[in-house]
Amino acid sequence: MAFLDWIAFIFGILGVVLTIRQNTFCWPISLVGVIASLIAFFQQRLYGDAALQIVFLIYGFYGWHQWFKAEKSSFIISTIPTKFLLLLLLFSIILFFGIYYVLIAFKGDKVLLDAVLTTLSLATTFMMIKKWIENWLFWVAIDLAYVGLYVSKQMYLFAVLYLIFSAVALAGFFEWKKVLKK
């Protein structure tokens, strides 16, 4: 296992734990893991995952800015507003087809699963930035699916990482649910 795999592993877990605690430093910590993951996924020809890491870099800076700004105002955990459900679904369907065909053009590996998981990850990260509690439940399912993908690619450390992410996401849901009830 490569050094970068371990960097992605350690910083990925730290980032998610800090996210659960609503600590603004979750964003810069996660960015280190994102960069390491970007390189690893590119080397494995998981171009959707690699591109997702580039978007995570952008989201990371945006999320960091949003959460930092929110420390000075009210930015609380909430449920996803109903009006956003249909928009998010429509956006995800359109995005999926775009990603799918780009991955085919680049001769990616595991194209269908890579496109689905990339699309869902983008939508769910947006939900996390907005502090919509449902993001954690989506992450549980997405991360479990990634476990299967990474096992099929013999990327076992990433498979373990995403199994841990799934368990931590479930814990995150229950932790944010306690905060939401208050």
Side-chain angles (χ1 to χ4, degrees), residues 28-145:
I29 294 294
S30 295
L31 289 174
V32 174
V34 164
I35 292 167
S37 296
L38 166 67
I39 296 166
F41 296 145
F42 187 80
Q43 291 172 342
Q44 288 291 325
R45 293 183 37 242
L46 291 173
Y47 299 130
D49 278 347
L52 181 61
Q53 302 310 305
I54 293 169
V55 175
F56 280 166
L57 281 171
I58 296 165
Y59 271 176
F61 286 109
Y62 175 69
W64 192 3
H65 175 263
Q66 289 296 108
W67 283 31
F68 183 75
K69 185 173 76 172
E71 288 178 347
K72 299 173 181 149
S73 64
S74 77
F75 185 52
I76 58 172
I77 296 168
S78 63
T79 59
I80 188 169
T82 307
K83 67 182 179 182
F84 280 101
L85 284 174
L86 185 58
L87 286 172
L88 202 54
L89 179 62
L90 182 61
F91 171 77
S92 296
I93 291 169
I94 293 167
L95 185 61
F96 164 77
F97 284 107
I99 290 170
Y100 180 76
Y101 289 111
V102 166
L103 294 179
I104 288 173
F106 278 90
K107 297 181 179 16
D109 195 16
K110 314 284 184 184
V111 172
L112 180 62
L113 188 55
D114 198 7
V116 167
L117 294 177
T118 299
T119 299
L120 293 174
S121 295
L122 289 169
T124 304
T125 300
F126 178 76
M127 293 169 63
M128 184 175 66
I129 289 170
K130 294 296 190 182
K131 285 194 173 181
W132 293 334
I133 192 169
E134 296 87 355
N135 89 82
W136 293 112
L137 297 177
F138 279 94
W139 280 127
V140 170
I142 293 165
D143 292 340
L144 286 174

Side-chain angles (χ1 to χ4, degrees), residues 1-13:
M1 283 172 233
F3 175 72
L4 285 176
D5 294 1
W6 283 103
I7 297 295
F9 185 87
I10 292 165
F11 282 84
I13 290 172

